[in-house]
Amino acid sequence: MPYCIKHFLGVVLDIILSTTAEHVHVDSLMATSSMTPTDSQADTPTNAQTKAALINAPTTNRPANPPTNPPIGFIILLFFSSTDDPTDSQTMFTTDNKVAEAPQVTSAPTGLLTTDTHMGIVTTTLLHKLSFKMPPGSVGGKELRTIAETLKTNSTLTTMNLDNNEIGDNGTQALSEALKTNSTLTTLDLRLNSIGDNGAHALSEALKTNSTLTTLNLASNLIRENGAQALSDALKTNSTLTTLDLRLNSIGENGAHALSEALKSNSNLATLNLASNSTGDSGAQALSEALKTNSALTTLDLRVNSIGDNGAQALSDALKTNSTLTTLDLRLNFIGENGAHALSEALKSNSNLATLNLASNSTGDSGAQALSEALKTNSALTTLDLRVNSIGDNGAQALSEGLQTNSTLTTLDLAVNSIGDNGAQLLCKALKTNSVLTTLYLDQNKIGFEGTLVLILACKINSTAITLNLNNNLIKDKTVLVLFEAFQRNSTLTTLDLRLNSIGDNGAQALSEALKVNSTLTTLNLGSNEIGDNGAQALSEALKINSTLTTLELWSNKIRDNGAQALSEALQTNSTLTTLNLDHNEIGGNGFQVLSEAFKTNSLTTLELWGNKIGDNGAQALSEQLKSNSTLTTLDLWNNLIGDRGVLALSEALKTNLSLITLDLRLNSISDNGAHALAGALKTNSTLTTLNLADNKIGDDGAQALSVALKINLVLSSLHLYHNSIRDNGAQALAEALRTNSTLYTLNLAGNSIGDNGAQVLSEALKTNFTLATLQLQNNLIGDIGAQLLEQVSEAMIRIIEY
């Protein structure tokens, strides 16, 4: 369904025309600089999908932080494709192919001035924020020509996101003409748009005269060496572009040669991403020549480029004289020990490179030995990533020697190698004397009892290590017996990750002894470790004494009612633990009844219990304690066999509870009766901001009851009702509530049976509602008529003309 967009009136609009199937990116109006567009993964050729999976792999195994700013204004997400999964609006933010929690909205929007992100016609008056999730291919060359005409005269738009459409060369040419006269746009995202050399040539002509654009994203297009040559010509004269992203194209070695010529004279480009472009050694050699004289580039990404030892040698020569590059990414290439040797020579004299990523190469032990020599004298490198490099014990020994004298490296990633107990023992020598390393990744190696023993003993001497990741190794219960002595003396380790091992009850008992005397550990992850009731009982004894642990992860173990009872007793006296994760255990109603007793006095703020067997009896027991509890803010009870009887009890608790802000009841057996009970609670509750009732059995009657509550409730900001049985009558009731409600920012109605009539009444309500930030309607029965009505809901601010 093609559209064109025209500027109308002085209002804030934001129209997302991105067509990525999996997610919609919702950006904050409050601080666009804190939010980085994610890499689209949809609708690319098979080989591009494979590359994209590699390109977007995280540098480490740590999850990226979610955005922290709340979306504000008015957003409608129109999802009508039956192939789209109804993603919860709480999980729309993605980084590195992982779903991250969306920000919680805690206050109403105020009159902020902004020039916000993504495709839109924007001015500086905050009235509405309108966002469309368009069907794939909805924006092509014809539509771009209309948008381009608007850009020629627009004086406020700073960021345009048109990723994953079918703009092609013709649309890009029209857009380029607009860029020649536009004086405000600073960021343009054209990923996944079938742009070839002709389109790149048109953009290059625009860059020769444009003086405001600083970021241009052309990733995942069809640009080859001629297009790269054209862009290179533009870079020789352009004085404003600081970031150019050309990953997942096909510029080849000739394209790399052309760009390198531009880098010799360009004095402003700071970030160049050429990942997955088949540059090869020849391209790397050309770029290295440019780096010898370039004084602006700080970040160069050459992932997945078939660069071997010759290319690494050339880049190494450049690093010996270059004084500006701080980040070099060479992941997923063919660099062997000779290339690693060459890079190590460069590191001995280089004084500015802070991050070197060599993950997924073939440096082996010999390469690790060479790099260790560099670490002995290098004074700039802070992060070295050597995961997946066939490094064994000999390489670990060498790196250990380098760490003993190095004074700058803070993060070393050796995950997914072949380091065993001997290598771990050698690394521990470095930890005993090194005073700067804070993070060491050794997950997915072959470290067993002896290796874990020496590492932990080293930790009791080391005075800086704060994170030790040993997940998914060969650690058994007897290995953990050494933790007791290690924790007696260690005064720095705050995070210990032992998930996905086989610690069992005996290991948990050993850890509990350590926790009784340790005074620094704040986070302990024991997820998926075959810990049963005996282990839980031992840990509970430690919690009665320990005064520092704040987070305990025990998900996917074998804890039953007896273990829950033991933990309950500990929680009644423990005053520091704030987060307890018991997801996916085997706790039933009886266990939860006992566990709930702890909430009378405990300071726990987050309790995660999804995937247990709590049932109505457990929910009733918990509700009694929630009536007086004043600390718990997040309660996760999804997939727990809770029905209307349990929800009725929880509803009674919500009427008096003054602390809970998030309640997750997804995937239970709640029907209209349960919805009526919750509605009654919402009429008086003054703290709950997020209620998730997705995947239940709520129909029109339940939706009507909730709508009555929404007319009165003054705090609820997110209501999730996706995958229920709500039809047009329910939608009508909710629409009536939206006419008067002034706090709800997110309403998720995806996966119901709402048709055009429901869409009509919702669109009418949205004409007067000025606070709803997200409305999700994917996978309903809405046709073209309903879609058109929703699209026209803000006709006073925007014209959407169908061709």
Side-chain angles (χ1 to χ4, degrees):
M1 183 182 296
Y3 303 94
C4 70
I5 295 126
K6 294 183 178 179
H7 186 206
F8 188 80
L9 294 184
V11 294
V12 173
L13 302 176
D14 186 0
I15 306 165
I16 298 179
L17 299 182
S18 167
T19 58
T20 305
E22 288 87 343
H23 306 290
V24 176
H25 312 305
V26 181
D27 289 331
S28 169
L29 285 170
M30 299 177 69
T32 58
S33 62
S34 67
M35 305 191 65
T36 304
T38 57
D39 296 330
S40 178
Q41 302 294 316
D43 300 324
T44 57
T46 302
N47 62 338
Q49 285 181 333
T50 302
K51 290 181 179 179
L54 299 175
I55 294 277
N56 295 315
T59 303
T60 69
N61 60 337
R62 293 177 295 172
N65 291 329
T68 57
N69 295 306
I72 63 178
F74 180 56
I75 303 174
I76 307 174
L77 304 183
L78 302 177
F79 291 36
F80 305 118
S81 172
S82 60
T83 60
D84 285 347
D85 292 331
T87 304
D88 180 353
S89 65
Q90 291 296 309
T91 55
M92 289 191 295
F93 294 82
T94 60
T95 305
D96 291 327
N97 294 331
K98 295 182 181 180
V99 175
E101 291 298 317
Q104 298 292 324
V105 178
T106 57
S107 60
T110 57
L112 299 175
L113 301 182
T114 182
T115 48
D116 195 24
T117 59
H118 292 308
M119 170 56 206
I121 310 302
V122 183
T123 66
T124 57
T125 304
L126 175 60
L127 293 181
H128 287 61
K129 179 181 170 86
L130 180 61
S131 168
F132 291 129
K133 175 75 163 69
M134 305 297 285
S138 63
V139 180
K142 183 177 181 181
E143 290 70 42
L144 253 294
R145 285 191 290 275
T146 304
I147 293 171
E149 288 301 314
T150 301
L151 283 178
K152 291 179 180 179
T153 56
N154 178 273
S155 60
T156 54
L157 183 67
T158 61
T159 301
M160 178 183 288
N161 188 329
L162 293 168
D163 69 278
N164 198 11
N165 280 284
E166 293 295 332
I167 293 171
D169 287 341
N170 291 336
T172 305
Q173 288 168 347
L175 195 59
S176 301
E177 289 301 313
L179 288 176
K180 292 178 181 179
T181 56
N182 179 278
S183 61
T184 57
L185 199 70
T186 60
T187 300
L188 178 59
D189 191 338
L190 295 174
R191 286 172 292 168
L192 286 159
N193 268 296
S194 301
I195 299 171
D197 288 343
N198 290 337
H201 187 274
L203 285 169
S204 70
E205 291 301 311
L207 289 176
K208 292 177 181 179
T209 57
N210 180 281
S211 61
T212 56
L213 199 69
T214 59
T215 300
L216 178 59
N217 192 335
L218 292 170
S220 301
N221 278 291
L222 305 174
I223 300 171
R224 299 181 180 276
E225 60 184 70
N226 289 338
Q229 176 68 62
L231 290 168
S232 171
D233 292 340
L235 289 176
K236 293 176 182 178
T237 57
N238 179 279
S239 61
T240 56
L241 199 71
T242 59
T243 300
L244 177 60
D245 192 339
L246 288 170
R247 68 192 134 159
L248 286 162
N249 279 281
S250 302
I251 68 170
E253 60 184 57
N254 290 335
H257 277 265
L259 288 169
S260 69
E261 289 301 312
L263 290 177
K264 292 177 181 179
S265 57
N266 182 282
S267 60
N268 48 280
L269 195 70
T271 300
L272 178 60
N273 193 332
L274 296 176
S276 191
N277 264 289
S278 303
T279 62
D281 284 342
S282 178
Q285 289 167 340
L287 289 166
S288 69
E289 289 302 311
L291 288 176
K292 292 177 181 178
T293 57
N294 179 278
S295 60
L297 202 69
T298 60
T299 300
L300 179 59
D301 191 336
L302 294 174
R303 282 174 287 174
V304 200
N305 266 300
S306 302
I307 297 172
D309 288 341
N310 290 336
Q313 175 69 63
L315 289 168
S316 301
D317 291 339
L319 289 176
K320 292 177 182 178
T321 57
N322 180 278
S323 61
T324 56
L325 199 70
T326 59
T327 300
L328 178 59
D329 196 336
L330 292 170
R331 274 179 285 177
L332 293 151
N333 280 291
F334 301 130
I335 299 172
E337 58 184 61
N338 290 335
H341 275 267
L343 287 167
S344 70
E345 288 301 313
L347 290 176
K348 291 177 182 178
S349 58
N350 181 281
S351 61
N352 49 280
L353 194 71
T355 300
L356 177 59
N357 195 327
L358 291 172
S360 298
N361 279 282
S362 303
T363 62
D365 285 341
S366 177
Q369 290 167 348
L371 289 167
S372 71
E373 289 300 314
L375 290 178
K376 293 177 181 178
T377 57
N378 180 278
S379 60
L381 202 68
T382 61
T383 300
L384 178 60
D385 193 335
L386 292 171
R387 62 169 44 218
V388 197
N389 261 290
S390 303
I391 297 172
D393 289 343
N394 290 335
Q397 177 180 2
L399 289 167
S400 171
E401 294 172 359
L403 289 175
Q404 290 179 44
T405 57
N406 180 275
S407 60
T408 58
L409 198 72
T410 60
T411 300
L412 177 60
D413 194 336
L414 294 172
V416 200
N417 279 289
S418 301
I419 299 171
D421 287 342
N422 290 335
Q425 291 176 19
L426 295 165
L427 283 169
C428 85
K429 291 182 180 179
L431 291 178
K432 291 178 180 179
T433 58
N434 183 283
S435 60
V436 291
L437 194 72
T438 61
T439 302
L440 176 60
Y441 290 98
L442 289 168
D443 46 300
Q444 299 184 64
N445 275 282
K446 299 179 180 179
I447 300 172
F449 172 73
E450 296 295 334
T452 305
L453 169 63
V454 293
L455 280 169
I456 293 171
L457 291 177
C459 284
K460 72 181 183 182
I461 301 172
N462 181 279
S463 60
T464 58
I466 59 175
T467 300
L468 179 60
N469 192 329
L470 290 169
N471 83 71
N472 204 7
N473 273 284
L474 304 175
I475 301 173
K476 306 291 184 180
D477 52 4
K478 68 176 183 177
T479 311
V480 188
L481 295 173
V482 303
L483 285 171
F484 170 69
E485 182 187 356
F487 284 147
Q488 278 183 318
R489 298 184 184 180
N490 180 274
S491 60
T492 58
L493 197 68
T494 61
T495 301
L496 180 60
D497 190 341
L498 293 171
R499 61 194 152 134
L500 295 164
N501 282 287
S502 301
I503 290 172
D505 286 341
N506 291 336
Q509 289 169 346
L511 280 169
S512 70
E513 291 301 312
L515 288 174
K516 290 177 182 178
V517 295
N518 179 272
S519 61
T520 59
L521 200 70
T522 60
T523 300
L524 177 60
N525 194 332
L526 297 175
S528 191
N529 261 296
E530 302 179 7
I531 297 172
D533 286 344
N534 290 336
Q537 289 169 349
L539 289 168
S540 70
E541 290 301 312
L543 289 177
K544 294 177 182 178
I545 302 171
N546 181 281
S547 61
T548 57
L549 197 70
T550 60
T551 300
L552 178 58
E553 301 272 352
L554 290 170
W555 46 267
S556 295
N557 279 290
K558 299 178 180 180
I559 300 172
R560 299 175 181 268
D561 289 352
N562 289 337
Q565 180 175 355
L567 289 169
S568 172
E569 294 173 0
L571 290 175
Q572 292 178 42
T573 57
N574 180 282
S575 60
T576 55
L577 197 72
T578 60
T579 299
L580 177 60
N581 190 331
L582 291 169
D583 289 343
H584 204 256
N585 277 280
E586 300 173 20
I587 301 172
N590 293 333
F592 196 64
Q593 287 180 42
V594 178
L595 188 61
S596 65
E597 289 293 320
F599 300 142
K600 291 180 180 178
T601 57
N602 184 265
S603 58
L604 207 66
T605 61
T606 300
L607 179 60
E608 299 184 43
L609 288 162
W610 73 264
N612 282 281
K613 300 176 182 178
I614 291 169
D616 287 339
N617 291 337
Q620 287 174 326
L622 175 62
S623 68
E624 288 302 312
Q625 308 310 323
L626 284 178
K627 291 177 181 179
S628 57
N629 179 279
S630 60
T631 60
L632 199 68
T633 60
T634 300
L635 179 59
D636 188 343
L637 295 174
W638 72 280
N639 192 18
N640 261 298
L641 306 178
I642 298 172
D644 290 339
R645 185 162 57 90
V647 169
L648 177 60
L650 288 169
S651 301
E652 290 301 312
L654 289 177
K655 292 178 181 179
T656 57
N657 180 279
L658 298 175
S659 61
L660 200 68
I661 59 175
T662 299
L663 177 59
D664 195 336
L665 291 168
R666 277 178 290 175
L667 204 63
N668 280 290
S669 299
I670 303 167
S671 69
D672 287 340
N673 290 335
H676 271 272
L678 287 167
L682 291 176
K683 292 176 182 179
T684 57
N685 180 278
S686 60
T687 57
L688 196 72
T689 61
T690 299
L691 177 60
N692 196 328
L693 295 171
D695 289 292
N696 278 287
K697 302 174 182 179
I698 299 170
D700 286 345
D701 187 48
Q704 289 167 351
L706 289 168
S707 71
V708 174
L710 289 176
K711 294 177 183 179
I712 303 170
N713 183 279
L714 299 176
V715 291
L716 196 71
S717 60
S718 296
L719 177 60
H720 303 280
L721 292 168
Y722 62 87
H723 280 176
N724 277 282
S725 301
I726 299 170
R727 298 178 180 275
D728 286 344
N729 288 339
Q732 180 175 355
L734 290 167
E736 292 174 1
L738 290 176
R739 295 177 189 273
T740 57
N741 180 279
S742 61
T743 58
L744 199 68
Y745 281 11
T746 299
L747 178 59
N748 192 333
L749 294 172
N752 281 283
S753 299
I754 299 171
D756 287 342
N757 290 336
Q760 179 179 359
V761 292
L762 285 168
S763 67
E764 289 298 319
L766 293 176
K767 292 178 181 179
T768 57
N769 181 289
F770 296 105
T771 54
L772 194 69
T774 303
L775 174 61
Q776 289 187 272
L777 291 167
Q778 68 266 38
N779 290 331
N780 275 282
L781 303 176
I782 299 172
D784 290 342
I785 295 175
Q788 185 176 7
L789 291 169
L790 286 165
E791 290 157 10
Q792 293 174 352
V793 68
S794 283
E795 192 169 355
M797 295 167 290
I798 186 168
R799 297 300 176 111
I800 302 176
I801 303 171
E802 184 172 352
Y803 281 79

